[in-house]
């Protein structure tokens, strides 16, 4: 599947050329994305699952299959659900730890030193309002402080992924709505752009350019099957 389980020893990135470090970082991010997508495919075909249109329920089911892949393939990752993000002020005792935000999932790769880490924030998305879901509200959640804002505003100090759990609609239409909301909330610089595999948005945090990966997982078929 292209994972990096072949690396049996840690590599100290402090001693490597910056271009090589960037390549390793990109490789780890891509492999995390592969694990997420394969976990998603396995989750969809899990005949024992009880699907619910609930963010935490979907994330728990996704985590189950991601963890199985990591353990079965002996991948150099640790994946933790509901991972507390202890920011520097919290670690220095200036903010109560009870105020810590939590990643929905957190990846740590231990093939490299210092460790390469990615937090994951997941949100529900719809193109068309349902009886219980507002497309405008969910889009705002994805973009603002409950979602992307956690990275853009430095609430999360680690790099990471946004996961969009699509309950209805197309990825293209939903991304277009997200970009409109991004422009009105931040600027056109933070818009999502399509890459060969996923979407990437860029932002600046403490004077440093950062990238945020976006993966959209379509659960509309699971909803249709549930209603049959």
């Amino acid at each position: 599947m292209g994972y990096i389980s072949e690396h049996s020893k840690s590599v100290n990135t402090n001693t490597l050329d910056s271009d090589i470090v960037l390549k390793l970082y990109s490789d780890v991010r891509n492999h995390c994305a592969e694990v997420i997508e394969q976990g998603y495919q396995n989750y969809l075909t899990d005949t024992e699952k009880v699907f619910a249109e609930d963010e935490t329920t979907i994330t728990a089911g996704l985590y189950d299959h991601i963890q199985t892949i990591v353990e079965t393939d002996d991948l150099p990752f640790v994946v933790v659900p509901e991972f507390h993000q202890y920011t520097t002020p919290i670690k220095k005792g200036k903010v109560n730890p009870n105020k810590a935000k939590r990643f929905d999932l957190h990846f740590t790769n231990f093939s490299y030193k210092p460790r390469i880490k990615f937090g994951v924030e997941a949100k529900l998305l719809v193109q068309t309002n349902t009886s219980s879901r507002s497309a405008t509200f969910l889009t705002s959640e994805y973009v603002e402080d409950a979602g992307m804002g956690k990275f853009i505003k430095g609430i999360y100090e680690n790099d990471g992924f946004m996961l969009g759990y699509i309950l209805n609609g197309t990825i293209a239409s939903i991304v277009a709505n997200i970009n409109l909301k991004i422009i009105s909330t931040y600027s056109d610089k933070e818009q999502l752009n399509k890459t060969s595999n996923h979407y990437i948005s860029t932002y600046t945090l403490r004077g440093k350019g950062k990238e945020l990966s976006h993966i959209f997982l379509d659960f509309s078929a699971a909803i249709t099957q549930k209603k049959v």
Side-chain angles (χ1 to χ4, degrees), residues 74-205:
D74 193 25
L75 302 181
F77 293 114
V78 173
V79 185
V80 180
E82 293 292 320
F83 183 84
H84 283 84
Q85 173 68 15
Y86 286 156
T87 60
T88 298
I90 290 174
K91 289 183 285 188
K92 296 300 183 184
K94 299 175 182 178
V95 176
N96 191 306
N98 291 331
K99 300 292 186 181
K101 302 295 182 180
R102 289 180 294 178
F103 285 118
D104 292 315
L105 296 172
H106 189 270
F107 285 82
T108 302
N109 176 276
F110 51 84
S111 285
Y112 309 115
K113 295 180 180 178
R115 307 294 186 220
I116 298 177
K117 303 174 182 180
F118 293 101
V120 179
E121 181 67 32
K123 294 296 173 194
L124 299 177
L125 289 167
V126 296
Q127 179 180 338
T128 305
N129 293 344
T130 70
S131 58
S132 60
R133 310 285 183 186
S134 161
T136 300
F137 176 80
L138 293 180
T139 300
S140 295
E141 269 207 326
Y142 187 95
V143 172
E144 296 176 344
D145 287 0
M148 292 174 63
K150 290 179 178 175
F151 296 97
I152 294 172
K153 296 183 179 181
I155 298 170
Y156 285 164
E157 294 186 340
N158 290 344
D159 294 343
F161 291 87
M162 288 294 301
L163 295 188
Y165 300 152
I166 296 178
L167 304 183
N168 70 49
T170 66
I171 293 176
S173 295
I174 287 172
V175 168
N177 290 333
I178 288 172
N179 279 338
L180 288 174
K181 183 61 180 176
I182 287 172
I183 292 170
S184 65
T185 304
Y186 307 113
S187 73
D188 58 0
K189 296 178 181 178
E190 290 82 11
Q191 289 185 86
L192 278 59
N193 293 291
K194 187 74 169 67
T195 66
S196 57
N197 297 315
H198 309 297
Y199 288 85
I200 296 287
S201 63
T202 59
Y203 61 100
T204 301
L205 180 63

